[in-house]
Amino acid sequence: GRHEFMYQVDKDGLTAMHIACGVADLDTCKWLHAQDERYAPTPSDVQLHKLPDYNDNTPTILAIQDAQLDNLKWLLNDLCQSRSVDKDGRTLLHFAMSCNRYLIHVSRFLSIEEAGSHEFMYQFDKDALTAMPIACCVAALATSTCLTARVN
């Protein structure tokens, strides 16, 4: 069976993978994923990197919020879809725009990853906002410029 500790959650619904993606080094994230793969009955049961916490934040969202670029790159290159949309229509770029810490680095990475995908840049959330006005609202001129350069 699986190591149940990997799926235990704290009072906020965070698993070890959430915490590792937000604050730990990449080796810890990779080890947790390897354990998940090792003990999963089938490949479709490898879910640790997708589990939401009680606020519907996945480990990828925490990597964005805490500007863990190495962890984010690994998640997106190996495990996750950068174009995925949550129940409110928000993409990872929406989350990056709403985080003020190291915003330009994360948004630059996400927009480079999806440079050929204009629909990603123009994805509307439930409030009919794309990532651009969110970037402008947090006074991130450099980020807004970065996004504009990607769609021109």
Side-chain angles (χ1 to χ4, degrees), residues 6-86:
M6 292 179 11
Y7 292 90
Q8 290 179 344
V9 296
D10 68 7
K11 65 180 178 50
D12 299 317
L14 299 174
T15 64
M17 182 65 92
H18 284 93
I19 295 166
C21 286
V23 299
D25 63 75
L26 183 56
D27 291 334
T28 304
C29 296
K30 288 181 177 181
W31 181 84
L32 286 167
H33 181 67
Q35 297 307 302
D36 196 23
E37 285 183 316
R38 179 178 177 190
Y39 292 102
T42 68
S44 64
D45 290 319
V46 177
Q47 298 289 321
L48 194 58
H49 62 284
K50 297 179 183 178
L51 293 177
D53 64 12
Y54 295 150
N55 294 316
D56 285 328
N57 293 325
T58 63
T60 308
I61 302 281
L62 295 185
I64 290 171
Q65 289 174 339
D66 295 325
Q68 298 292 330
L69 287 180
D70 289 339
N71 297 349
L72 179 61
K73 288 176 186 177
W74 170 71
L75 284 162
L76 293 180
N77 289 333
D78 294 348
L79 303 175
C80 301
Q81 299 261 342
S82 58
R83 295 181 193 178
S84 60
V85 177
D86 74 2

Side-chain angles (χ1 to χ4, degrees), residues 85-99:
V85 177
D86 74 2
K87 67 181 180 0
D88 293 325
R90 295 175 296 195
T91 65
L92 296 179
L93 196 55
H94 283 90
F95 283 101
M97 295 303 98
S98 62
C99 299

